[in-house]
């Protein structure tokens, strides 16, 4: 199946200057990231704050332009942001943020907010738009009487449902969800995740789901990409990665996820804080925190390699059985 979205060795570098006479420094927010999302599937991106997952989401939507590499949507290079070609694509690609209140206009009713993209893209007449809004409210589990409410009259979970309804209004092919449930209670998180899975099954929308929570990512994703300091360090099938994570960073993340049943992996606690992206360590960027780093890790950036089980891992020890079995 042809991928809906492809990132091919995409990089995004920001140049910052602290002070008038200071030398500009480079922050490599996304570093040679290659990803694919098939129609109707979900790719989950997980990693700590500052790992580049949100920038990857913005590259996927064409909101950012890669400094190197290429982003393709339906096998065509992503047009530059703001161009007519890019604006036409926006109907097919929508973004959902963590903060629904910030994404909404407090003066408009929920129905008016959901109808907005239909009006912007001239979808249907007034009656058809009203029917579509009523359907979307049902799809996301909001009651008809909530259509005339304003954002501050709804709970956080209800607001996020309304934001999702608005994002789905134009029947996009791709939804980029950037930490969409992080601010919600755990019980509401589970409801939204289940709802997204139902919507995907019914509509065939593909999703790029970004979260720092590996448990949520596993629940919703068909493929997982683990990012560390701008790079994808492990990518593959969620069950394979959970059963036997290979990259030391993935192993630490997986070990921190609570598992039911008597057998629980020993938690791997990483030394140190996540490094500053502006002061990227040499060689493998994970080496200062890696519990199994070897001498070469300080100087040599490990290439991503595909393993026999189909996953991609960027670690010098990826094919070292003693480490994998440890
Ligand atoms: Fe650790 Fe070296 Fe692998 Fe990096 S390349 S994750 S430092 S073992």
């Amino acid at each position: 199946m042809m991928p809906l979205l492809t990132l091919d060795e995409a990089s995004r570098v920001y140049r910052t200057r602290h002070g008038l006479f200071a030398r500009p420094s480079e922050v490599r927010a996304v570093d040679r990231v290659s990803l694919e999302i098939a129609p109707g599937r979900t790719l989950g991106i997980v990693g700590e704050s500052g790992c580049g997952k949100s920038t990857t989401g913005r590259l996927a939507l064409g909101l950012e332009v890669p400094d190197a590499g290429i982003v393709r949507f339906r096998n065509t290079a992503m047009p530059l942001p703001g161009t007519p070609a890019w604006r036409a694509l926006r109907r097919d690609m929508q973004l959902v943020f963590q903060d629904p209140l910030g994404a909404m206009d407090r003066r408009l009713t929920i129905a008016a907010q959901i109808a907005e993209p239909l009006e912007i893209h001239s979808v249907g007449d007034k009656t058809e738009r009203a029917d579509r809004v009523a359907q979307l409210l049902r799809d996301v589990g909001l009651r008809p009487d909530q259509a005339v409410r304003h954002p501050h009259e709804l709970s956080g979970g209800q607001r996020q449902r309304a934001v999702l309804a608005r994002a789905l209004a134009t029947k996009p092919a791709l939804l980029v969800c950037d930490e969409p449930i992080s601010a919600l209670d755990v019980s509401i998180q589970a409801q939204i995740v289940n709802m997204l899975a139902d919507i995907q099954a019914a509509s065939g929308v593909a999703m790029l789901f970004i979260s720092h929570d590996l448990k949520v990512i596993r629940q919703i994703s068909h493929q997982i990409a683990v990012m560390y300091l701008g790079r994808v360090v492990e990518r593959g099938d969620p069950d394979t990665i959970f059963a036997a994570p290979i990259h030391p960073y993935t192993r630490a993340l997986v070990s921190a996820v609570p598992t039911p049943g008597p057998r629980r992996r020993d938690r791997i606690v990483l030394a140190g804080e996540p490094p500053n992206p502006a002061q990227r360590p040499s060689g493998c960027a994970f080496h200062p925190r890696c519990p199994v780093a070897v001498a070469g890790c300080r100087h040599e950036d490990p290439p991503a390699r595909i393993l026999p089980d189909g996953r991609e891992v960027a670690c010098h020890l990826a094919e070292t059985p003693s480490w994998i079995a440890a």
Side-chain angles (χ1 to χ4, degrees):
M1 193 190 300
M2 188 176 79
L4 178 70
L5 180 88
T6 311
L7 270 71
D8 191 359
E9 295 276 304
S11 297
R12 183 73 180 101
V13 179
Y14 299 113
R15 286 169 186 86
T16 55
R17 191 193 290 269
H18 301 285
L20 196 57
F21 302 107
R23 284 173 53 196
S25 60
E26 277 195 352
V27 178
R28 193 164 280 272
V30 171
D31 189 15
R32 293 162 288 154
V33 164
S34 295
L35 298 171
E36 279 183 5
I37 307 178
R41 310 294 277 176
T42 299
L43 171 71
I45 300 186
V46 66
E48 294 161 302
S49 173
C51 72
K53 51 193 191 305
S54 291
T55 306
T56 302
R58 291 175 62 79
L59 284 168
L61 289 167
L63 292 165
E64 299 267 350
V65 180
D67 296 282
I70 188 163
V71 178
R72 292 190 184 87
F73 188 75
R74 294 201 175 106
N75 215 21
T76 302
M78 184 68 71
L80 289 174
T83 58
W86 180 78
R87 275 198 291 272
L89 266 189
R90 288 315 311 270
R91 181 176 165 168
D92 257 348
M93 308 181 300
Q94 295 288 338
L95 174 63
V96 176
F97 296 108
Q98 178 178 349
D99 172 21
L101 204 52
M104 298 174 104
D105 186 333
R106 295 166 194 237
R107 297 160 304 175
L108 293 181
T109 63
I110 297 302
Q113 317 232 14
I114 297 173
E116 219 172 22
L118 300 173
E119 286 158 11
I120 291 170
H121 295 284
S122 307
V123 178
D125 59 25
K126 205 173 170 189
T127 309
E128 287 165 335
R129 288 202 281 267
D131 289 347
R132 177 83 184 126
V133 170
Q135 178 64 52
L136 285 159
L137 285 166
R138 284 194 293 277
D139 289 348
V140 300
L142 289 175
R143 298 190 310 269
D145 63 284
Q146 290 170 324
V148 293
R149 304 263 178 89
H150 287 80
H152 65 273
E153 297 177 283
L154 301 185
S155 68
Q158 289 164 345
R159 279 197 287 269
Q160 196 57 295
R161 287 172 191 269
V163 166
L164 281 164
R166 187 173 65 181
L168 292 163
T170 56
K171 301 185 179 172
L174 174 68
L175 203 56
V176 174
C177 301
D178 190 352
E179 301 273 10
I181 57 172
S182 306
L184 305 176
D185 291 345
V186 174
S187 60
I188 309 290
Q189 287 186 358
Q191 289 174 17
I192 302 272
V193 166
N194 291 338
M195 185 194 79
L196 280 169
D198 291 345
I199 287 171
Q200 184 175 57
S203 68
V205 66
M207 287 193 278
L208 179 60
F209 195 97
I210 296 166
S211 177
H212 64 279
D213 186 337
L214 190 53
K215 193 161 166 252
V216 170
I217 286 285
R218 184 191 189 181
Q219 254 180 297
I220 200 162
S221 308
H222 301 101
Q223 279 268 310
I224 289 180
V226 180
M227 288 190 73
Y228 188 80
L229 269 189
R231 283 204 77 184
V232 172
V233 295
E234 186 156 359
R235 175 163 71 111
D237 168 74
D239 290 339
T240 307
I241 289 180
F242 257 76
I246 288 182
H247 194 282
Y249 180 59
T250 317
R251 289 174 68 95
L253 289 186
V254 170
S255 79
V257 176
T259 52
R263 217 172 145 263
R264 197 177 180 285
R265 280 187 192 90
D266 288 336
R267 179 159 187 191
I268 302 168
V269 180
L270 293 175
E273 294 293 312
N276 180 349
Q279 287 160 1
R280 189 186 176 82
S282 61
C284 172
F286 186 59
H287 85 255
R289 300 172 80 193
C290 182
V292 292
V294 293
C297 300
R298 284 173 169 270
H299 313 292
E300 288 170 39
D301 193 6
R305 61 193 95 194
I306 310 279
L307 303 189
D309 63 10
R311 81 178 103 180
E312 184 183 291
V313 182
C315 170
H316 292 306
L317 304 185
E319 288 161 301
T320 306
S322 60
W323 159 236
I324 296 166

Short mmCIF file of all heavy atoms in Angstrom, two decimals, residues 42-95:
data_model
loop_
_atom_site.label_atom_id
_atom_site.label_comp_id
_atom_site.label_asym_id
_atom_site.label_seq_id
_atom_site.Cartn_x
_atom_site.Cartn_y
_atom_site.Cartn_z
N THR A 42 -2.10 4.18 12.38
CA THR A 42 -1.58 5.16 13.34
C THR A 42 -0.11 4.91 13.63
O THR A 42 0.28 3.79 13.95
CB THR A 42 -2.37 5.08 14.67
OG1 THR A 42 -3.74 5.38 14.40
CG2 THR A 42 -1.83 6.06 15.70
N LEU A 43 0.66 5.96 13.47
CA LEU A 43 2.06 5.93 13.88
C LEU A 43 2.17 6.71 15.18
O LEU A 43 1.78 7.89 15.24
CB LEU A 43 2.95 6.57 12.82
CG LEU A 43 4.40 6.79 13.24
CD1 LEU A 43 5.15 5.46 13.34
CD2 LEU A 43 5.13 7.71 12.28
N GLY A 44 2.64 6.07 16.24
CA GLY A 44 2.82 6.75 17.51
C GLY A 44 4.27 7.19 17.66
O GLY A 44 5.19 6.40 17.44
N ILE A 45 4.46 8.45 18.03
CA ILE A 45 5.82 8.94 18.30
C ILE A 45 5.92 9.22 19.79
O ILE A 45 5.09 9.94 20.36
CB ILE A 45 6.14 10.23 17.52
CG1 ILE A 45 6.03 9.97 16.02
CG2 ILE A 45 7.53 10.72 17.85
CD1 ILE A 45 6.47 11.16 15.17
N VAL A 46 6.93 8.64 20.42
CA VAL A 46 7.09 8.79 21.86
C VAL A 46 8.51 9.26 22.18
O VAL A 46 9.46 8.93 21.46
CB VAL A 46 6.75 7.46 22.58
CG1 VAL A 46 7.75 6.38 22.26
CG2 VAL A 46 6.61 7.64 24.09
N GLY A 47 8.61 10.03 23.25
CA GLY A 47 9.93 10.50 23.68
C GLY A 47 9.74 11.61 24.70
O GLY A 47 8.62 12.13 24.89
N GLU A 48 10.84 11.98 25.36
CA GLU A 48 10.77 13.03 26.37
C GLU A 48 10.56 14.39 25.72
O GLU A 48 10.74 14.55 24.51
CB GLU A 48 12.09 13.07 27.16
CG GLU A 48 12.34 11.84 28.01
CD GLU A 48 13.80 11.71 28.39
OE1 GLU A 48 14.66 11.65 27.50
OE2 GLU A 48 14.07 11.65 29.59
N SER A 49 10.26 15.36 26.57
CA SER A 49 10.13 16.73 26.11
C SER A 49 11.45 17.16 25.43
O SER A 49 12.53 16.86 25.93
CB SER A 49 9.85 17.60 27.33
OG SER A 49 9.89 18.92 26.99
N GLY A 50 11.35 17.81 24.28
CA GLY A 50 12.54 18.28 23.58
C GLY A 50 13.15 17.25 22.65
O GLY A 50 14.22 17.49 22.08
N CYS A 51 12.48 16.11 22.46
CA CYS A 51 13.08 15.07 21.60
C CYS A 51 12.78 15.31 20.13
O CYS A 51 13.30 14.60 19.26
CB CYS A 51 12.59 13.68 22.00
SG CYS A 51 10.87 13.38 21.57
N GLY A 52 11.95 16.29 19.82
CA GLY A 52 11.68 16.62 18.42
C GLY A 52 10.37 16.06 17.90
O GLY A 52 10.07 16.19 16.71
N LYS A 53 9.55 15.48 18.79
CA LYS A 53 8.34 14.84 18.28
C LYS A 53 7.32 15.87 17.77
O LYS A 53 6.68 15.63 16.74
CB LYS A 53 7.72 13.88 19.32
CG LYS A 53 7.50 14.44 20.70
CD LYS A 53 7.19 13.29 21.66
CE LYS A 53 6.70 13.76 23.02
NZ LYS A 53 7.54 14.71 23.76
N SER A 54 7.20 17.01 18.45
CA SER A 54 6.25 18.02 17.96
C SER A 54 6.73 18.64 16.65
O SER A 54 5.93 18.91 15.75
CB SER A 54 6.05 19.12 19.01
OG SER A 54 5.37 18.59 20.12
N THR A 55 8.04 18.87 16.53
CA THR A 55 8.56 19.41 15.27
C THR A 55 8.34 18.41 14.14
O THR A 55 8.02 18.79 13.00
CB THR A 55 10.07 19.74 15.41
OG1 THR A 55 10.24 20.59 16.55
CG2 THR A 55 10.61 20.44 14.18
N THR A 56 8.46 17.12 14.45
CA THR A 56 8.18 16.11 13.44
C THR A 56 6.72 16.21 12.98
O THR A 56 6.41 16.12 11.80
CB THR A 56 8.47 14.70 14.00
OG1 THR A 56 9.84 14.67 14.42
CG2 THR A 56 8.24 13.61 12.96
N GLY A 57 5.81 16.43 13.95
CA GLY A 57 4.40 16.60 13.61
C GLY A 57 4.18 17.82 12.72
O GLY A 57 3.40 17.78 11.76
N ARG A 58 4.90 18.89 13.00
CA ARG A 58 4.75 20.10 12.19
C ARG A 58 5.35 19.92 10.79
O ARG A 58 4.84 20.45 9.81
CB ARG A 58 5.39 21.29 12.92
CG ARG A 58 4.61 21.69 14.18
CD ARG A 58 5.31 22.77 14.97
NE ARG A 58 5.45 24.00 14.21
CZ ARG A 58 4.48 24.88 14.04
NH1 ARG A 58 3.29 24.67 14.56
NH2 ARG A 58 4.69 25.97 13.33
N LEU A 59 6.43 19.13 10.71
CA LEU A 59 6.98 18.80 9.38
C LEU A 59 5.96 17.98 8.59
O LEU A 59 5.78 18.17 7.38
CB LEU A 59 8.27 18.00 9.52
CG LEU A 59 9.53 18.78 9.92
CD1 LEU A 59 10.65 17.80 10.29
CD2 LEU A 59 9.99 19.69 8.78
N ALA A 60 5.29 17.06 9.30
CA ALA A 60 4.32 16.19 8.63
C ALA A 60 3.16 16.98 8.04
O ALA A 60 2.58 16.59 7.03
CB ALA A 60 3.79 15.15 9.63
N LEU A 61 2.83 18.09 8.69
CA LEU A 61 1.71 18.92 8.23
C LEU A 61 2.16 20.02 7.26
O LEU A 61 1.35 20.81 6.80
CB LEU A 61 1.03 19.58 9.42
CG LEU A 61 0.21 18.67 10.32
CD1 LEU A 61 -0.13 19.37 11.62
CD2 LEU A 61 -1.06 18.24 9.61
N GLY A 62 3.45 20.10 7.02
CA GLY A 62 3.96 21.15 6.15
C GLY A 62 3.99 22.51 6.84
O GLY A 62 4.16 23.54 6.18
N LEU A 63 3.82 22.54 8.16
CA LEU A 63 3.89 23.81 8.89
C LEU A 63 5.34 24.25 9.04
O LEU A 63 5.63 25.42 9.28
CB LEU A 63 3.25 23.66 10.27
CG LEU A 63 1.74 23.45 10.27
CD1 LEU A 63 1.26 22.96 11.63
CD2 LEU A 63 1.01 24.73 9.89
N GLU A 64 6.25 23.28 8.98
CA GLU A 64 7.69 23.55 9.00
C GLU A 64 8.28 23.00 7.71
O GLU A 64 7.80 21.97 7.20
CB GLU A 64 8.38 22.84 10.17
CG GLU A 64 7.89 23.24 11.52
CD GLU A 64 8.71 24.36 12.12
OE1 GLU A 64 9.77 24.70 11.55
OE2 GLU A 64 8.29 24.88 13.15
N VAL A 65 9.32 23.64 7.23
CA VAL A 65 9.98 23.18 6.01
C VAL A 65 11.29 22.49 6.41
O VAL A 65 12.08 23.06 7.16
CB VAL A 65 10.28 24.37 5.07
CG1 VAL A 65 10.97 23.90 3.80
CG2 VAL A 65 8.99 25.11 4.75
N PRO A 66 11.53 21.27 5.94
CA PRO A 66 12.78 20.61 6.34
C PRO A 66 14.00 21.33 5.76
O PRO A 66 13.96 21.83 4.65
CB PRO A 66 12.64 19.20 5.77
CG PRO A 66 11.59 19.28 4.72
CD PRO A 66 10.70 20.44 5.07
N ASP A 67 15.08 21.40 6.56
CA ASP A 67 16.34 21.96 6.05
C ASP A 67 17.06 20.96 5.17
O ASP A 67 17.90 21.32 4.35
CB ASP A 67 17.25 22.34 7.23
CG ASP A 67 16.61 23.43 8.07
OD1 ASP A 67 16.65 24.59 7.64
OD2 ASP A 67 16.02 23.11 9.10
N ALA A 68 16.78 19.70 5.38
CA ALA A 68 17.33 18.64 4.52
C ALA A 68 16.29 17.53 4.48
O ALA A 68 15.43 17.43 5.36
CB ALA A 68 18.65 18.12 5.09
N GLY A 69 16.37 16.69 3.46
CA GLY A 69 15.39 15.61 3.33
C GLY A 69 14.10 16.13 2.73
O GLY A 69 14.01 17.30 2.31
N ILE A 70 13.09 15.28 2.73
CA ILE A 70 11.84 15.66 2.06
C ILE A 70 10.64 15.05 2.77
O ILE A 70 10.74 13.98 3.38
CB ILE A 70 11.90 15.24 0.56
CG1 ILE A 70 10.71 15.80 -0.21
CG2 ILE A 70 11.98 13.73 0.40
CD1 ILE A 70 10.89 15.78 -1.72
N VAL A 71 9.53 15.78 2.71
CA VAL A 71 8.25 15.28 3.24
C VAL A 71 7.32 15.13 2.04
O VAL A 71 7.20 16.05 1.22
CB VAL A 71 7.64 16.26 4.26
CG1 VAL A 71 6.29 15.75 4.77
CG2 VAL A 71 8.60 16.48 5.42
N ARG A 72 6.68 13.97 1.95
CA ARG A 72 5.75 13.74 0.83
C ARG A 72 4.38 13.37 1.39
O ARG A 72 4.27 12.58 2.33
CB ARG A 72 6.23 12.59 -0.07
CG ARG A 72 7.47 12.89 -0.85
CD ARG A 72 7.74 11.80 -1.89
NE ARG A 72 8.99 12.05 -2.56
CZ ARG A 72 10.16 11.63 -2.12
NH1 ARG A 72 10.23 10.92 -1.02
NH2 ARG A 72 11.26 11.90 -2.78
N PHE A 73 3.36 13.94 0.76
CA PHE A 73 1.98 13.58 1.09
C PHE A 73 1.39 13.02 -0.19
O PHE A 73 1.42 13.67 -1.23
CB PHE A 73 1.22 14.82 1.56
CG PHE A 73 -0.16 14.52 2.10
CD1 PHE A 73 -0.33 13.95 3.35
CD2 PHE A 73 -1.29 14.81 1.35
CE1 PHE A 73 -1.59 13.66 3.84
CE2 PHE A 73 -2.55 14.54 1.83
CZ PHE A 73 -2.71 13.96 3.08
N ARG A 74 0.87 11.82 -0.13
CA ARG A 74 0.38 11.10 -1.32
C ARG A 74 1.42 11.12 -2.43
O ARG A 74 1.13 11.43 -3.59
CB ARG A 74 -0.94 11.69 -1.82
CG ARG A 74 -2.08 11.48 -0.83
CD ARG A 74 -3.44 11.59 -1.52
NE ARG A 74 -4.50 11.27 -0.59
CZ ARG A 74 -5.33 12.16 -0.04
NH1 ARG A 74 -5.22 13.43 -0.35
NH2 ARG A 74 -6.26 11.78 0.80
N ASN A 75 2.63 10.84 -2.04
CA ASN A 75 3.75 10.70 -2.98
C ASN A 75 4.13 11.98 -3.71
O ASN A 75 4.81 11.94 -4.73
CB ASN A 75 3.45 9.58 -3.99
CG ASN A 75 4.70 8.82 -4.36
OD1 ASN A 75 5.70 8.86 -3.62
ND2 ASN A 75 4.69 8.18 -5.52
N THR A 76 3.65 13.11 -3.22
CA THR A 76 4.00 14.40 -3.83
C THR A 76 4.67 15.26 -2.76
O THR A 76 4.23 15.28 -1.61
CB THR A 76 2.71 15.12 -4.32
OG1 THR A 76 2.06 14.26 -5.25
CG2 THR A 76 3.01 16.45 -4.98
N ALA A 77 5.73 15.96 -3.18
CA ALA A 77 6.46 16.80 -2.21
C ALA A 77 5.51 17.79 -1.55
O ALA A 77 4.67 18.40 -2.23
CB ALA A 77 7.59 17.52 -2.92
N MET A 78 5.64 17.93 -0.24
CA MET A 78 4.79 18.86 0.51
C MET A 78 5.00 20.28 0.00
O MET A 78 6.14 20.75 -0.07
CB MET A 78 5.18 18.78 2.00
CG MET A 78 4.34 19.61 2.91
SD MET A 78 2.65 19.05 3.05
CE MET A 78 2.83 17.54 4.00
N PRO A 79 3.92 20.98 -0.37
CA PRO A 79 4.11 22.37 -0.83
C PRO A 79 4.55 23.28 0.33
O PRO A 79 4.37 22.94 1.49
CB PRO A 79 2.71 22.77 -1.33
CG PRO A 79 1.78 21.67 -0.99
CD PRO A 79 2.54 20.53 -0.39
N LEU A 80 5.11 24.41 -0.04
CA LEU A 80 5.56 25.36 0.99
C LEU A 80 4.37 25.92 1.75
O LEU A 80 3.30 26.15 1.16
CB LEU A 80 6.34 26.51 0.34
CG LEU A 80 7.71 26.15 -0.23
CD1 LEU A 80 8.30 27.33 -0.98
CD2 LEU A 80 8.64 25.70 0.89
N PRO A 81 4.52 26.14 3.08
CA PRO A 81 3.40 26.65 3.85
C PRO A 81 2.92 28.00 3.33
O PRO A 81 3.72 28.84 2.92
CB PRO A 81 3.96 26.76 5.28
CG PRO A 81 5.43 26.67 5.15
CD PRO A 81 5.72 25.93 3.88
N GLY A 82 1.61 28.16 3.34
CA GLY A 82 1.03 29.44 2.93
C GLY A 82 0.72 29.53 1.45
O GLY A 82 0.02 30.44 1.01
N THR A 83 1.25 28.59 0.64
CA THR A 83 0.97 28.63 -0.79
C THR A 83 -0.45 28.09 -1.04
O THR A 83 -0.99 27.35 -0.21
CB THR A 83 1.98 27.77 -1.57
OG1 THR A 83 1.90 26.42 -1.06
CG2 THR A 83 3.41 28.27 -1.39
N PRO A 84 -1.04 28.43 -2.20
CA PRO A 84 -2.39 27.91 -2.49
C PRO A 84 -2.43 26.38 -2.45
O PRO A 84 -3.40 25.80 -1.96
CB PRO A 84 -2.66 28.45 -3.90
CG PRO A 84 -1.81 29.67 -4.02
CD PRO A 84 -0.58 29.40 -3.21
N ALA A 85 -1.37 25.72 -2.94
CA ALA A 85 -1.35 24.25 -2.95
C ALA A 85 -1.37 23.71 -1.52
O ALA A 85 -2.05 22.72 -1.22
CB ALA A 85 -0.11 23.75 -3.69
N TRP A 86 -0.65 24.37 -0.64
CA TRP A 86 -0.61 23.93 0.76
C TRP A 86 -1.96 24.18 1.44
O TRP A 86 -2.47 23.34 2.16
CB TRP A 86 0.51 24.67 1.49
CG TRP A 86 0.65 24.30 2.93
CD1 TRP A 86 1.23 23.19 3.45
CD2 TRP A 86 0.17 25.06 4.05
NE1 TRP A 86 1.15 23.20 4.82
CE2 TRP A 86 0.49 24.34 5.21
CE3 TRP A 86 -0.51 26.27 4.17
CZ2 TRP A 86 0.18 24.79 6.48
CZ3 TRP A 86 -0.83 26.73 5.44
CH2 TRP A 86 -0.48 25.99 6.58
N ARG A 87 -2.55 25.35 1.16
CA ARG A 87 -3.85 25.65 1.78
C ARG A 87 -4.90 24.64 1.34
O ARG A 87 -5.75 24.23 2.12
CB ARG A 87 -4.28 27.08 1.44
CG ARG A 87 -3.66 28.09 2.41
CD ARG A 87 -4.41 29.41 2.37
NE ARG A 87 -4.18 30.08 1.10
CZ ARG A 87 -3.16 30.90 0.88
NH1 ARG A 87 -2.30 31.15 1.84
NH2 ARG A 87 -3.02 31.47 -0.29
N ALA A 88 -4.82 24.23 0.07
CA ALA A 88 -5.78 23.24 -0.43
C ALA A 88 -5.61 21.91 0.29
O ALA A 88 -6.58 21.19 0.55
CB ALA A 88 -5.60 23.06 -1.94
N LEU A 89 -4.37 21.60 0.65
CA LEU A 89 -4.10 20.32 1.35
C LEU A 89 -4.60 20.32 2.79
O LEU A 89 -4.82 19.27 3.37
CB LEU A 89 -2.59 20.07 1.38
CG LEU A 89 -1.96 19.21 0.29
CD1 LEU A 89 -0.51 18.92 0.65
CD2 LEU A 89 -2.71 17.91 0.09
N ARG A 90 -4.74 21.51 3.38
CA ARG A 90 -5.10 21.59 4.80
C ARG A 90 -6.41 20.89 5.12
O ARG A 90 -6.64 20.43 6.22
CB ARG A 90 -5.16 23.05 5.27
CG ARG A 90 -3.82 23.75 5.41
CD ARG A 90 -2.78 22.89 6.12
NE ARG A 90 -3.25 22.30 7.36
CZ ARG A 90 -3.14 22.85 8.55
NH1 ARG A 90 -2.56 23.99 8.70
NH2 ARG A 90 -3.60 22.22 9.62
N ARG A 91 -7.29 20.83 4.13
CA ARG A 91 -8.56 20.12 4.33
C ARG A 91 -8.31 18.64 4.61
O ARG A 91 -9.08 17.98 5.29
CB ARG A 91 -9.39 20.32 3.05
CG ARG A 91 -10.72 19.67 3.10
CD ARG A 91 -11.50 19.98 1.84
NE ARG A 91 -12.64 19.07 1.74
CZ ARG A 91 -13.64 19.22 0.91
NH1 ARG A 91 -13.66 20.24 0.09
NH2 ARG A 91 -14.62 18.35 0.88
N ASP A 92 -7.23 18.14 4.06
CA ASP A 92 -6.88 16.72 4.18
C ASP A 92 -6.00 16.40 5.38
O ASP A 92 -5.73 15.24 5.67
CB ASP A 92 -6.13 16.29 2.92
CG ASP A 92 -7.02 15.51 1.99
OD1 ASP A 92 -8.13 15.13 2.41
OD2 ASP A 92 -6.61 15.28 0.84
N MET A 93 -5.47 17.45 6.03
CA MET A 93 -4.53 17.24 7.14
C MET A 93 -4.92 18.17 8.28
O MET A 93 -4.96 19.39 8.08
CB MET A 93 -3.10 17.59 6.72
CG MET A 93 -2.62 16.93 5.45
SD MET A 93 -0.92 17.42 5.09
CE MET A 93 -1.06 19.18 4.92
N GLN A 94 -5.19 17.62 9.44
CA GLN A 94 -5.61 18.47 10.55
C GLN A 94 -4.75 18.20 11.77
O GLN A 94 -4.17 17.12 11.91
CB GLN A 94 -7.08 18.20 10.89
CG GLN A 94 -8.05 18.59 9.78
CD GLN A 94 -8.21 20.10 9.61
OE1 GLN A 94 -7.93 20.87 10.53
NE2 GLN A 94 -8.65 20.53 8.43
N LEU A 95 -4.71 19.18 12.66
CA LEU A 95 -3.87 19.11 13.85
C LEU A 95 -4.74 19.25 15.11
O LEU A 95 -5.63 20.10 15.15
CB LEU A 95 -2.83 20.24 13.81
CG LEU A 95 -1.93 20.46 15.02
CD1 LEU A 95 -1.04 19.25 15.28
CD2 LEU A 95 -1.06 21.70 14.81
#
